[in-house]
Amino acid sequence: NAGVTQTPKFQVLKTGQSMTLQCAQDMNHNSMYWYRQDPGMGLRLIYYSASEGTTDKGEVPNGYNVSRLNKREFSLRLESAAPSQTSVYFCASSEMAGSFQPQHFGDGTRLSIL
Amino acid sequence: DAKTTQPTSMDCAEGRAANLPCNHSTISGNEYVYWYRQIHSQGPQYIIHGLKNNETNEMASLIITEDRKSSTLILPHATLRDTAVYYCIVRRSGNTPLVFGKGTRLSVIA
C-alpha cells in the first residue's frame, strides 16, 4: 500500500525560483494537509483541504499557494522561493466522516533554498 | 483546541515500559487526545487516541485521568526502534487539523 506519496523527496532551489510540491493519496480520503517542519520544531500547518474543491489557510500560509487538483492530489506551490522556506514539507490525508480521523503522513520533501 | 504540555526529553531502558506524560488541563468535553510519533527523517505516525476511557492497541496503551486533564502514553516493552519524538495532541472531533507542539524526545537505551 502506497498511502501518501510525495514528490520530489529532495530539492535545492535558488532564491526567487518557483516550484510545486506534489502529494497524492490512494486511500480515498477526503481531507488533505500540508505541514512544514523546521529543525527542532514541531509541525506547523500551512494549508489544508477539508474536501475536494475547498482549501483553507493554516498557521503559516504566507508565501505558499495550494491546489486540490482532484480527490487524490493536493499540491503546494512556492511562487518565489525564499531562504526562510528551507524546511521539510509533509503532506497528510484523512477521512472526513466520523468522529475519529487519524491523519496519515507521507515521508516528506526536503527543500533547501539558497 | 486545548494546549498540551510535555517534557522535552526522556530516557528509557530497552525492554522496560516507557511512560510518556501529557498535561492538557484546558481540555473540553468534546476534545480527543491523540498521540503520534516521528522517527528520525520520517513522517509522523499515528499511535493511539482516546476520549475518556483508557485505550489499548498493538502499539501502546493510553491512560486518561478521570478529570481528563492529563494522560500517559505507555509503550509496554520499549525497543530501540521506539526512539522517536512523541506528540500529544488534543483536538475536537471532526475534521479539524492537528496542531503539533514540540513533543517529547524519547531515547531508548540498550
Side-chain angles (χ1 to χ4, degrees), chain A residues 31 33 35 37 40-43 45 48-50 90 94-96 98-107 110, chain B residues 32 34 36 38 40-46 48-49 87 91-102 105:
Chain A
S31 302
Y33 312 81
Y35 295 86
Q37 186 174 33
M41 303 284 289
L43 280 74
L45 183 66
Y48 67 101
S49 171
F90 290 102
S94 67
E95 296 178 14
M96 173 181 285
S99 62
F100 165 60
Q101 303 165 46
Q103 291 186 14
H104 300 265
F105 286 80
D107 285 334
R110 284 146 184 83
Chain B
Y32 284 73
Y34 295 78
Y36 282 74
Q38 188 174 22
H40 182 63
S41 299
Q42 298 180 17
Q45 177 188 23
Y46 163 75
I48 199 167
H49 81 289
Y87 297 98
R91 74 175 175 109
R92 298 186 304 274
S93 62
N95 201 35
T96 54
L98 295 170
V99 177
F100 286 80
K102 295 186 178 181
R105 182 172 297 278

Side-chain angles (χ1 to χ4, degrees), chain B residues 5 35 46 62 67-68 74 90:
Chain B
T5 303
W35 283 84
Y46 163 75
L62 174 61
D67 64 7
R68 301 187 69 237
I74 301 172
V90 172

Side-chain angles (χ1 to χ4, degrees), chain A residues 10-11 13 28-29 74 82-84 93 100:
Chain A
F10 302 92
Q11 185 69 48
L13 294 177
N28 201 36
H29 285 168
F74 188 38
S84 60
S93 70
F100 165 60

Side-chain angles (χ1 to χ4, degrees), chain B residues 5-21:
Chain B
T5 303
Q6 298 178 252
T8 302
S9 63
M10 295 180 62
D11 293 335
C12 177
E14 187 178 22
R16 303 296 294 269
N19 296 282
L20 290 88

Side-chain angles (χ1 to χ4, degrees), chain A residues 2-110:
Chain A
V4 178
T5 302
Q6 294 184 234
T7 55
K9 296 189 184 306
F10 302 92
Q11 185 69 48
V12 179
L13 294 177
K14 294 181 180 179
T15 297
Q17 287 185 315
S18 61
M19 169 160 194
T20 300
L21 280 60
Q22 306 288 352
C23 176
Q25 51 92 8
D26 63 2
M27 296 172 282
N28 201 36
H29 285 168
N30 288 293
S31 302
M32 299 184 74
Y33 312 81
W34 276 105
Y35 295 86
R36 63 176 285 176
Q37 186 174 33
D38 300 315
M41 303 284 289
L43 280 74
R44 293 184 292 171
L45 183 66
I46 304 171
Y47 271 94
Y48 67 101
S49 171
S51 61
E52 188 178 355
T54 68
T55 60
D56 286 285
K57 294 179 180 179
E59 180 185 358
V60 289
N62 291 343
Y64 305 96
N65 287 302
V66 291
S67 295
R68 184 73 183 270
L69 304 172
N70 48 56
K71 191 173 185 179
R72 288 187 64 249
E73 299 173 287
F74 188 38
S75 63
L76 179 71
R77 184 163 178 82
L78 287 70
E79 290 291 351
S80 179
S84 60
Q85 295 177 304
T86 293
S87 191
V88 181
Y89 291 84
F90 290 102
C91 177
S93 70
S94 67
E95 296 178 14
M96 173 181 285
S99 62
F100 165 60
Q101 303 165 46
Q103 291 186 14
H104 300 265
F105 286 80
D107 285 334
T109 294
R110 284 146 184 83

